């Protein structure tokens, strides 16, 4: 005889789940922090390496070694050190084609071709990079040359070289990726994966704990089966003696032979499971040889199979014990037959509640019910369940099935087409009702109930016998009374919620993530331009002074009363600020200044500084030679500096930072034209908008005539300052050294993972909340069941009087059926009481979940049936007493 294993005394052993998920999650979280730190460092890094300038002597525009170094002081910095060599000659073939630049990293030529001033298409042959071929650096070289020419057009000299150097630093000497649009998703992605890994690990841990709990319960079932083997063998021996093999067909087909065969199977299964348990314990103890060890998946499968096999063993043992009890005629056979009769009688009582539909069949069914109850009474009185008694039981069940079949044919729903779908759904509903009925009456032992019937030779080819026939009648009645309330049968095996659930968890997050990746990648691709972005400049004009004579301008012809009456009056700081504010409020393309700036308006006679002529292509424009304009700008700076020395930096000869000069060219007829702003801000970056279009200076518009003859100079100055504010905000733009495709996939994957994580956490939270609410509702229902059972128990004496003393005296069976019915009622009441008490005694942590809720629902069904039966008995007793007292 196998002995209980040592694990039965100290609980199931546990193989801990693999620890790779927590390690992976922690590692990914650390990687996320590391990437976030690196990204933050990259994004916030400021250039610290000084740019080395080598400037040849004799260069024009005041570009010297000292002036360039003075201009670069404190701001000529890069992320990587490099040397810029400035020459005044055209570059040689070997220099710009093969990168032979000597000791310099970048070679910049400020020479010009008189026939091609690089104003439309910058000449990339005037910039060379050390060790690089022409084809590798064409775009970068053209951009650097464009920056230099652009700054020169704005009146800069040394600052033009500095702007070209800073543009080269951004394009060629910054290996870092400085956009948060890439680092943010890169840092978030490992964290999302870490959350998913932990979610997966927690799920596996929960699954492992559930499997080990099931294994412990299976060990307990096996231990009980092992301990009950000798008792079970004794019961089979007694049954063989009490019921000798006298049936036709030989001993091998008799009831005792069947019991002996069942006993052999139970014993063999017990021994086999005991060996399996020892192997599984060795696996969980890790004492088995590595060569013979099961894989984790195989171990999980074997644990589940072991649990299922022990459940089957328990069922077989229970069925064999009860069948042997009935065959031997012991006192315990009464409770066995009561269990078989209870769900059927409850179902019959519900059918009889509709007796007005089929009175004749109802009377027959009531008589057959009484016969079945009489048999149970005989067993209770000590008459053993002989073969004759079991034949009577089988005959009574067959009669009930026949009568119920007749009723079912009479209550078939109207307009019902007896097609295959209808028959299938009806049979499925009947099977489910029958299982629920047995489950409620037997505290969930549905499988044992069907197996016991089969062992006793009952059922007539059906697992649950006549119960299915009576439940079919009840199902048809319900369908006939309320067909519109019944849901249509599903057309497929998959739930209709699978489609929206899949849309929620797969398709929608994927589409949103791809859209997010596309939008961010597009922004990265254009992030160095950023046209159309929100302008944030908030500084008004810091100061305003005038150089020259505004009185030389043609006065406004008919100025309005609330506007300045002269150009001189209009050039006040207050009026210019007011015009700037009005422009910004009315236009999204204008902005206040991003930094403090003082303006000098230089009103100058054009013929003293440059030569001009009417533009042949455009009316109200004049044409100025480019080099003539460059010379005029230099002269303007010198003249203004003589009167206002703070405006120009004496070390560089360029306008000082925080200062600006606006040349106003006064024409001979008193009209005027504007030059570009000459500011301390120099153009730098791949797409700066400061002075980007040279024709703004060489082909200026003429004001003070035609439709604009009444507009004052101060109004135009405020208007153009709004454009300057926008240009200053778009200056110093840098290139993001990252592929838009890389950003797209980083953002899309991280967004998708993040959305899935949020959805999973949200669904888990919602499910937890739903379970919490559902569990609380079931606890309240359980408390209500306890109160209902208390009321039924208090009325138990009255129930006995009504059933036995009142109804039993008028019974055709002499009260035997009523006594059996009352005993079955009290048995059901005790069963329900014990189940409610057991459910209430469970620890709070076990009072949740589908299994616990199913048990509560079973008790709910049983209590409802008991309450209905008690109400029916009370009504029948009152009707009988009333009829005896007053006549029918």
């Amino acid at each position: 005889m196998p002995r209980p294993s040592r694990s039965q005394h100290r609980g199931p052993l546990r193989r801990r789940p693999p620890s790779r998920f927590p390690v992976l999650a922690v590692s990914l979280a650390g990687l996320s922090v590391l990437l976030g730190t690196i990204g933050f460092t990259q994004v916030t890094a400021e250039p610290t390496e000084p740019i080395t300038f080598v400037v040849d002597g004799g260069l024009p525009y005041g570009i010297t070694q000292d002036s360039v170094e003075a201009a670069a002081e404190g701001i000529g910095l890069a992320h990587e050190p490099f040397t810029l060599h400035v020459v005044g000659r055209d570059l040689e073939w070997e220099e710009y084609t093969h990168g032979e630049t000597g000791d310099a990293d970048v070679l910049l030529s400020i020479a010009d071709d008189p026939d091609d001033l690089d104003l439309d298409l910058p000449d990339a042959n005037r910039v060379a990079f050390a060790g690089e071929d022409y084809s590798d650096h064409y775009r970068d070289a053209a951009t650097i040359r464009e920056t230099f020419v652009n700054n020169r057009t704005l009146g800069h000299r040394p600052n033009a070289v500095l702007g070209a150097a800073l543009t080269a630093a951004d394009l060629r000497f910054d290996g870092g990726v400085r956009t948060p649009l890439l680092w943010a998703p890169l840092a978030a992605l490992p964290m999302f994966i870490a959350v998913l890994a932990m979610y997966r690990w927690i799920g596996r841990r929960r699954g492992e704990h559930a499997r080990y709990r099931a294994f412990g319960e299976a060990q307990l079932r096996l231990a009980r089966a092992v301990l009950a083997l000798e008792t079970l063998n004794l019961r089979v021996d007694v049954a063989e003696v009490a019921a000798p093999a006298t049936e036709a067909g030989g001993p091998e087909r008799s009831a005792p032979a069947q019991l002996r065969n069942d006993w052999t199977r139970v014993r063999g299964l017990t021994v086999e499971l005991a060996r399996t348990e020892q192997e599984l314990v060795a696996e969980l103890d890790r004492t088995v040889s590595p060569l013979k060890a099961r894989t984790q998946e195989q171990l999980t499968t074997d644990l589940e199979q072991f649990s299922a096999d022990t459940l089957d063993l328990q069922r077989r043992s229970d069925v064999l014990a009860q069948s042997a009890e009935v065959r031997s005629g012991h006192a315990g056979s009464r409770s066995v037959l009561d269990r078989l009769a209870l769900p059927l009688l409850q179902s019959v009582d519900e059918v009889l509640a509709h007796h007005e539909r089929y009175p004749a069949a109802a009377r027959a069914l009531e008589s057959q019910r009484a016969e079945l109850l009489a048999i149970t009474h005989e067993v209770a009185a000590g008459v053993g369940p002989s073969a004759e008694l079991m034949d009577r039981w089988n005959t009574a069940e067959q009669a009930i099935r026949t009568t119920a079949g007749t009723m079912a044919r009479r209550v078939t729903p109207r307009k019902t087409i007896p097609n295959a779908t209808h028959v299938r759904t009806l049979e499925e509903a009947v099977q489910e009702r029958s299982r629920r009925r047995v489950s409620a009456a037997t505290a969930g032992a549905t499988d044992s109930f069907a197996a016991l019937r089969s062992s006793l030779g009952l059922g007539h080819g059906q697992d649950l016998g006549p119960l299915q026939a009576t439940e079919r009648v009840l199902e048809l009645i319900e369908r006939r009374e309320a067909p519109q309330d019944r849901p249509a049968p599903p057309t497929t095996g998959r739930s209709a919620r699978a489609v929206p659930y899949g849309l929620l968890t797969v398709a929608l997050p994927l589409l949103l993530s791809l859209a997010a990746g596309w939008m961010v990648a597009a922004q990265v691709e254009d992030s160095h331009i950023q046209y159309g972005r929100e302008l944030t400049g908030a500084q008004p004009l810091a100061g305003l002074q005038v150089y020259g004579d505004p009185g030389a301008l043609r006065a406004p012809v008919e100025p309005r009363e609330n506007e300045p009456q002269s150009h001189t009056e209009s050039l006040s700081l207050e009026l210019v600020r007011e015009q700037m504010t009005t422009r910004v409020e009315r236009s999204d393309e204008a902005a206040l200044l991003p930094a403090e700036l003082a303006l000098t308006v230089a009103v100058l006679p054009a013929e003293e500084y440059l030569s001009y002529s009417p533009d042949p292509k455009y009316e109200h424009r004049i044409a100025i030679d480019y080099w003539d304009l460059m010379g005029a700008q230099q002269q303007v700076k010198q003249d203004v500096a003589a009167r206002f020395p703070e405006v120009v930096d004496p070390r560089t000869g360029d306008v000082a930072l925080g200062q600006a000069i606006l040349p106003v060219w006064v024409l001979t007829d008193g009209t005027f034209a504007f030059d570009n702003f000459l500011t301390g801000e120099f153009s730098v970056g791949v797409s700066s908008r400061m002075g980007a279009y040279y024709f703004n200076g060489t082909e200026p518009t003429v004001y003070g005539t035609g439709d604009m003859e009444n507009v004052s100079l101060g109004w135009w100055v405020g208007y153009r300052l709004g454009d300057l504010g926008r240009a200053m905000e778009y200056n110093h733009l840098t290139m993001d050294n990252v592929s838009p495709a890389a950003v797209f996939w980083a953002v899309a994957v991280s967004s998708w993972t993040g959305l899935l994580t949020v959805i999973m956490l949200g669904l888990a939270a919602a499910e937890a909340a739903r379970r919490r609410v559902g569990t609380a509702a079931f606890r309240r229902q359980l408390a209500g069941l306890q109160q209902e059972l208390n009321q039924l128990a208090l009325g138990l004496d009255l129930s006995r009087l009504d059933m036995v003393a009142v109804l039993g005296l008028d019974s055709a069976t002499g009260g035997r059926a009523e006594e059996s019915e009352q005993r079955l009622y009290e048995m059901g009441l005790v069963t329900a009481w014990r189940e409610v008490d057991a459910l209430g005694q469970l620890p709070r942590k076990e009072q949740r979940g589908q299994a616990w809720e199913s048990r509560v629902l079973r008790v709910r069904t049983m209590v409802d049936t008991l309450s209905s039966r008690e109400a029916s008995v009370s009504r029948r007793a009152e009707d009988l007493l009333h009829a005896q007292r007053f006549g029918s």
Side-chain angles (χ1 to χ4, degrees), residues 550 552-556 567 603-604 606 620 622 663-675 700-705 708-709 711-717 720:
L553 300 175
R554 180 187 297 177
H567 292 297
V603 184
L604 308 170
H620 301 306
I622 59 174
V664 180
W665 307 122
V666 182
L667 308 182
T668 56
D669 59 355
T671 58
F672 58 94
F674 291 102
D675 191 7
T701 301
V702 178
Y703 299 95
T705 184
M708 296 178 287
E709 62 182 0
V711 181
S712 64
L713 177 60
W715 191 93
W716 283 114
V717 169
R720 293 176 66 86

Side-chain angles (χ1 to χ4, degrees), residues 339-394:
R339 287 184 59 220
L340 293 178
L342 181 60
L344 175 59
L345 294 175
Q346 290 175 346
S347 180
V348 169
D349 286 342
E350 292 187 17
V351 172
L352 290 176
H354 303 277
H355 60 86
E356 70 280 356
R357 295 177 178 271
Y358 26 71
R363 287 192 296 271
L365 185 62
E366 188 170 6
S367 175
Q368 294 154 3
R369 170 181 176 276
E371 174 64 18
L372 196 64
L373 286 170
I375 297 174
T376 61
H377 182 270
E378 294 180 22
V379 176
V383 180
S386 62
E388 179 184 354
L389 203 61
M390 295 307 299
D391 289 341
R392 288 173 54 196
W393 185 288
N394 228 340

Side-chain angles (χ1 to χ4, degrees), residues 227-559:
L227 295 175
L229 275 179
E230 293 183 0
T231 303
L232 191 59
N233 187 24
L234 180 61
R235 288 185 176 184
V236 172
D237 290 342
V238 171
E240 287 181 331
V241 174
T246 57
E247 300 179 12
E252 69 279 359
R253 299 185 60 184
S254 65
Q258 181 181 353
L259 290 175
R260 179 56 60 183
N261 290 335
D262 292 343
W263 151 252
T264 302
R265 283 194 293 270
V266 167
R267 182 180 61 182
L269 182 58
T270 303
V271 174
E272 181 181 353
L273 288 177
R275 285 196 298 265
T276 303
E277 181 200 20
Q278 293 176 355
E279 295 174 359
L280 292 175
V281 169
E283 286 279 353
L284 297 174
D285 273 336
R286 298 179 183 267
T287 58
V288 68
S289 170
L291 297 177
K292 298 181 180 180
R294 296 173 171 87
T295 62
Q296 185 66 31
E297 291 74 14
Q298 185 180 359
L299 178 61
T300 300
T301 302
D302 291 346
L303 287 173
E304 294 174 352
Q305 186 61 45
F306 178 75
S307 178
D309 290 343
T310 55
L311 281 173
D312 182 61
L313 174 63
Q314 182 184 43
R315 178 184 62 80
R316 289 175 180 270
S317 299
D318 292 344
V319 168
L320 181 58
Q322 295 177 68
S323 180
E325 195 76 18
V326 172
R327 297 292 186 184
S328 62
H330 285 178
S333 59
R334 183 187 71 176
S335 63
V336 175
L337 295 181
D338 285 347
R339 287 184 59 220
L340 293 178
L342 181 60
L344 175 59
L345 294 175
Q346 290 175 346
S347 180
V348 169
D349 286 342
E350 292 187 17
V351 172
L352 290 176
H354 303 277
H355 60 86
E356 70 280 356
R357 295 177 178 271
Y358 26 71
R363 287 192 296 271
L365 185 62
E366 188 170 6
S367 175
Q368 294 154 3
R369 170 181 176 276
E371 174 64 18
L372 196 64
L373 286 170
I375 297 174
T376 61
H377 182 270
E378 294 180 22
V379 176
V383 180
S386 62
E388 179 184 354
L389 203 61
M390 295 307 299
D391 289 341
R392 288 173 54 196
W393 185 288
N394 228 340
T395 302
E397 285 192 349
Q398 179 64 29
I400 291 174
R401 286 191 67 237
T402 302
T403 303
T406 302
M407 293 178 175
R409 288 189 293 272
R410 293 181 179 178
V411 294
T412 300
R414 297 185 299 270
K415 300 180 181 179
T416 298
I417 302 176
N419 53 26
T421 302
H422 169 74
V423 172
R424 186 185 71 253
T425 56
L426 175 63
E427 290 304 317
E428 290 174 353
V430 170
Q431 289 286 349
E432 180 61 27
R433 292 178 64 101
S434 302
R435 283 192 293 268
R436 287 202 305 267
R437 177 82 67 182
V438 174
S439 179
T442 61
T446 309
D447 293 338
S448 298
F449 183 88
L452 177 60
R453 291 183 56 82
S454 176
S455 178
L456 294 176
L458 303 175
H460 306 284
Q462 298 195 28
D463 293 339
L464 301 180
L467 178 61
Q468 292 173 283
T470 56
E471 290 297 326
R472 181 177 291 103
V473 175
L474 295 173
E475 177 68 17
L476 289 172
I477 291 175
E478 290 182 5
R479 292 192 177 196
R480 182 181 180 87
E481 291 179 347
Q484 69 278 8
D485 296 333
R486 302 186 63 87
T491 56
T492 61
R494 182 169 297 183
S495 172
R497 291 180 297 175
V499 174
Y501 182 80
L503 178 65
L504 174 66
T505 58
V506 179
L508 185 60
L510 181 60
L511 292 177
L512 292 177
S513 301
L514 292 176
W518 178 80
M519 289 188 295
V520 174
Q523 185 176 358
V524 168
E525 192 170 16
D526 293 337
S527 62
H528 62 287
I529 299 175
Q530 302 184 44
Y531 294 159
R533 69 177 183 177
E534 183 178 356
L535 302 176
T536 60
Q539 294 287 338
L541 186 64
L544 178 66
Q545 57 190 5
V546 179
Y547 177 84
D549 182 16
L553 300 175
R554 180 187 297 177
V557 177
E558 295 180 357

